[in-house]
Amino acid sequence: MNDLVRQHTALSESDLEWLHLLVSEWQLLSDLSFADLVLWVPTLDGTRYVSVAQMRPNTGPTSYQDDMVGHLVPRGRRPLLDAALDEGRIVREGDPEWREEVPVRVESIPVRREGRVLGVIARNTNLLTVRTPSRLELTYLQSASDLAQMIAAGAFPFPGEVVDMDSSPRAGDGLIRLDADGIVQYASPNALSAYHRLGLAADLVGQHLGQITAELAPSRGPVDEALVKLASGYAPREAEVEGNGGVIQLRAIPLKPKGTRIGSLVLLRDVTELRRRERELITKDATIREIHHRVKNNLQTVAALLRLQARRMDSDQGREALNEAVRRVGSIAIVHETLSQNLDERVEFDEIADRVIAMVAEISPGKVTCRRNGRFGILDAEVATPLSMVLTEILQNALEHAFAPGEQGTVEVTAVRGEPRADARLLITVQDDGGGLPEGFDPQRAGNLGLQIVRTLVEGELGGSFDMLPGAGRGTKVVLDIPVQHQK
C-alpha cells in the first residue's frame, strides 16, 4: 500500500498512516457486512482511482476471485465511487452487478479524515447465498452499517489505538451488542458460551454487561470500576477477564454513527486454553532455567574441589593437569550460567567467548594479550557448549606452548558468521605471534589431550573441520569451520 499511495496519489504521510490504521481494523467491517472491501484512492491528477488494499470476509463467500490491489480504473466508469468521493456520503443506489454469473451488491463508503475524503471503500456483497437473515446476521449488518457511517464521518478507526488483529478478538469469536446504557441487546452463541465459562448461569440479554463481568471476575478489593466501564463499552479498550477457571479477552468498540454514542460492540474470545498453555510454557521455561542454574552451581563446586586438590598436589605436572580441568569445567559452567538467564535454548556467544578468553588469559597475566574480533552471534545450546570447550582448549594451548616464559605476545580470536541461509557456516580463526609449530608437527595425529578434545568435539559434536597452520609471518593459526543455523 505504501508504494501504491506514494506512486499514484497526493496523500500525505499522515493520511497514509490513517489508511494503515483503517486497514488494520477493517476485517471487522468485512466480517460484519459479509462483504468484500476494496479501498480506492483517487490518483494525483484526479482522473483515475487506484485500489491500494483489499479484504475478504471470513463470514461469507467472496465477490472477487482475483486480487484487486494495484488496479487502476478511470473516473466515470464506477459512478458509485464518484458519488461517494464528491458528495462525501455512503452511496447504495443502483442495481446489483453481475460478475461471472454471480449477482453482487455494490456500495461505496467515503473514508474521511479531518474533514477531507481520502478515498472510498467499495463494499461488495455476494448475493448468491442470500437467505432470510437470522438474529445474528441482522445484528452483524446493523453493526456494520453503524461502523460504515463512522468511517464516513471520520470517527472510525479510533486515532491512537493500535490493534493487533492476530491476537484481538474477531466477530466470529463472539459478539455482544449493547445499548447506550450498557444493557445487552444481543449476544452471539459463542459470546454466551464464553460467559458461561466464566460462571454465568443465566442469559446475557437484558443484563448490564459491565456489572455482570465485574461480578464474574472476583477481586480482593472493591468492584473494579475500570472493568465495569470497559465491559459497558464507553471507550475503545481491550482487557482480559478471568474467573471460575476461565479467561476471556474483551474488546469494546463504541458505536457513534451520528456523533452520539448509541451503544457498543463488544468482541470477545475464550482464551482459557491459550493462557493455560502459556502458563505451562512459562513454568517449563522457569524449570529449564533452574536446571541450568543448578548445573552451573554443581560445575562450580566441581571446579572448586579440583582447585583445592591442585593446591595439595606435590607434583607440578599433576597440579597443572588439575588446573586445566578446572578451566574446562569452567567453560561449560559459563554456558549454563548464560542459559539460566535466557528464555530459550540459545545464547549470545560473544559474551561467552569474552569470558572464556578472560578466564584462560589468567594463566599469563600481563604478558600475553588476548582479544576478539568479529561476532559469533546467537548459537544454539548444543553448539555453544562444545564450542566453549574447544575455544578454551585452543587458547590454553596457545598460551602454554606458543610463548616462552615471560615472553610478550598477542592471541587474536576472529569470528566470521556466514550469510543467513540454511547452509550458513561459522569460521573461527585463533592466531598467535608466538614461536610457531614444531617441525613435522601434525595436528590431526598429535597426542596432546587438549588437541584430542578439540578434534573430537569439532568433528564429532559440531560436524565441522579443524586445522593448525603456520602463521603468515610467525606464530600459529588455528582454523575452525563449523556449520550453524542462522538465528534471528
Side-chain angles (χ1 to χ4, degrees):
M1 186 166 72
N2 287 348
D3 294 340
L4 289 171
V5 168
R6 289 166 181 160
Q7 179 182 355
H8 294 286
T9 77
L11 297 182
S12 65
E13 289 298 317
S14 57
D15 293 333
L16 179 57
E17 286 300 318
W18 182 262
L19 295 184
H20 273 293
L21 189 59
L22 172 66
V23 169
S24 71
E25 292 272 29
W26 70 344
Q27 179 72 65
L28 175 61
L29 177 62
S30 178
D31 290 345
L32 293 176
S33 303
F34 307 98
D36 291 77
L37 305 178
V38 179
L39 178 57
W40 297 92
V41 180
T43 57
L44 184 62
D45 57 10
T47 62
R48 296 181 296 174
Y49 297 97
V50 57
S51 58
V52 298
Q54 179 180 2
M55 178 58 66
R56 293 183 173 92
N58 293 318
T59 52
T62 183
S63 302
Y64 287 110
Q65 299 299 326
D66 299 326
D67 186 7
M68 294 296 297
V69 175
H71 282 214
L72 289 163
V73 298
R75 185 178 172 88
R77 178 175 296 179
R78 301 194 176 184
L80 296 186
L81 294 182
D82 298 339
L85 182 68
D86 296 339
E87 302 173 21
R89 65 180 180 88
I90 299 175
V91 181
R92 296 189 176 93
E93 295 88 352
D95 297 327
E97 298 180 2
W98 287 83
R99 299 175 188 165
E100 299 179 357
E101 300 183 355
V102 175
V104 176
R105 182 175 65 242
V106 180
E107 303 168 86
S108 295
I109 305 168
V111 177
R112 192 183 303 273
R113 174 179 179 264
E114 296 180 350
R116 297 179 299 112
V117 177
L118 307 182
V120 179
I121 295 175
R123 181 164 57 175
N124 304 271
T125 306
N126 186 327
L127 300 179
L128 197 60
T129 59
V130 170
R131 60 186 184 276
T132 303
S134 64
R135 179 73 186 280
L136 171 66
E137 292 169 332
L138 289 174
T139 303
Y140 272 30
L141 293 172
Q142 179 59 52
S143 302
S145 176
D146 293 335
L147 285 177
Q149 292 182 56
M150 292 171 64
I151 292 173
F156 187 82
F158 302 108
E161 186 189 21
V162 179
V163 178
D164 183 358
M165 292 307 298
D166 291 333
S167 61
S168 185
R170 299 190 177 189
D173 297 325
L175 179 142
I176 297 175
R177 174 87 185 213
L178 308 178
D179 65 13
D181 297 322
I183 305 300
V184 177
Q185 294 180 313
Y186 176 79
S188 71
N190 284 345
L192 191 58
S193 296
Y195 266 83
H196 285 167
R197 190 74 175 264
L198 289 182
L200 179 69
D203 193 3
L204 272 174
V205 176
Q207 305 276 4
H208 189 283
L209 187 64
Q211 295 175 359
I212 286 292
T213 304
E215 292 172 2
L216 294 173
S219 60
R220 296 180 181 178
V223 173
D224 189 344
E225 294 296 333
L227 180 60
V228 173
K229 289 185 178 181
L230 183 145
S232 300
Y234 289 108
R237 294 287 187 273
E238 284 196 34
E240 285 191 3
V241 179
E242 183 170 359
N244 194 40
V247 184
I248 62 173
Q249 184 180 7
L250 296 177
R251 183 189 176 200
I253 302 174
L255 297 176
K256 303 176 181 179
K258 297 182 180 179
T260 303
R261 192 175 72 86
I262 63 169
S264 306
L265 280 183
V266 177
L267 306 179
L268 62 153
R269 174 187 295 165
D270 185 347
V271 293
T272 304
E273 293 303 314
L274 177 63
R275 295 296 176 258
R276 182 185 62 81
R277 289 196 297 269
E278 288 178 351
R279 289 165 184 167
E280 288 179 352
L281 289 175
I282 291 172
T283 302
K284 180 181 177 181
D285 288 339
T287 302
I288 292 173
R289 291 199 301 271
E290 178 63 22
I291 289 172
H292 284 302
H293 181 71
R294 294 190 181 189
V295 170
K296 182 263 296 183
N297 288 344
N298 291 338
L299 290 172
Q300 288 180 337
T301 301
V302 172
L305 292 173
L306 292 173
R307 198 177 294 113
L308 181 62
Q309 185 66 36
R311 295 195 189 103
R312 295 175 176 268
M313 292 288 292
D314 296 329
S315 167
D316 291 339
Q317 186 177 5
R319 186 183 304 109
E320 182 56 33
L322 288 175
N323 286 332
E324 288 181 4
V326 168
R327 287 188 286 273
R328 289 166 184 150
V329 172
S331 66
I332 302 175
I334 290 172
V335 177
H336 283 283
E337 181 180 5
T338 305
L339 288 168
S340 70
Q341 299 168 359
N342 293 342
L343 293 176
D344 53 26
E345 291 291 289
R346 298 185 297 173
V347 294
E348 177 63 64
F349 196 80
D350 295 319
E351 177 186 351
I352 294 175
D354 291 340
R355 294 180 63 181
V356 167
I357 291 171
M359 178 184 67
V360 177
E362 292 178 357
I363 65 176
S364 58
K367 299 174 184 177
V368 179
T369 301
C370 297
R371 62 172 177 260
R372 172 179 64 86
N373 293 321
R375 294 191 69 250
F376 290 84
I378 298 175
L379 298 176
D380 291 331
E382 58 263 28
V383 175
T385 301
L387 183 56
S388 67
M389 283 198 65
V390 168
L391 192 58
T392 299
E393 295 299 331
I394 294 174
L395 289 171
Q396 189 168 284
N397 188 72
L399 293 173
E400 287 183 354
H401 302 295
F403 304 97
E407 183 182 3
Q408 294 186 350
T410 302
V411 178
E412 189 169 298
V413 180
T414 303
V416 178
R417 189 73 176 260
E419 292 296 324
R421 57 176 187 261
D423 58 347
R425 305 188 74 82
L426 175 62
L427 184 65
I428 305 168
T429 305
V430 181
Q431 173 82 56
D432 67 67
D433 55 3
L437 295 172
E439 186 176 351
F441 178 81
D442 184 357
Q444 302 302 330
R445 296 185 179 182
N448 179 284
L449 176 61
L451 291 182
Q452 289 181 9
I453 293 174
V454 169
R455 284 198 302 270
T456 300
L457 292 177
V458 171
E459 297 173 1
E461 293 288 327
L462 298 174
S465 62
F466 154 73
D467 200 4
M468 294 182 72
L469 308 167
R474 57 171 296 183
T476 305
K477 179 169 69 173
V478 178
V479 180
L480 304 174
D481 188 0
I482 299 170
V484 292
Q485 291 183 349
H486 183 78
Q487 307 290 354
K488 295 182 179 180

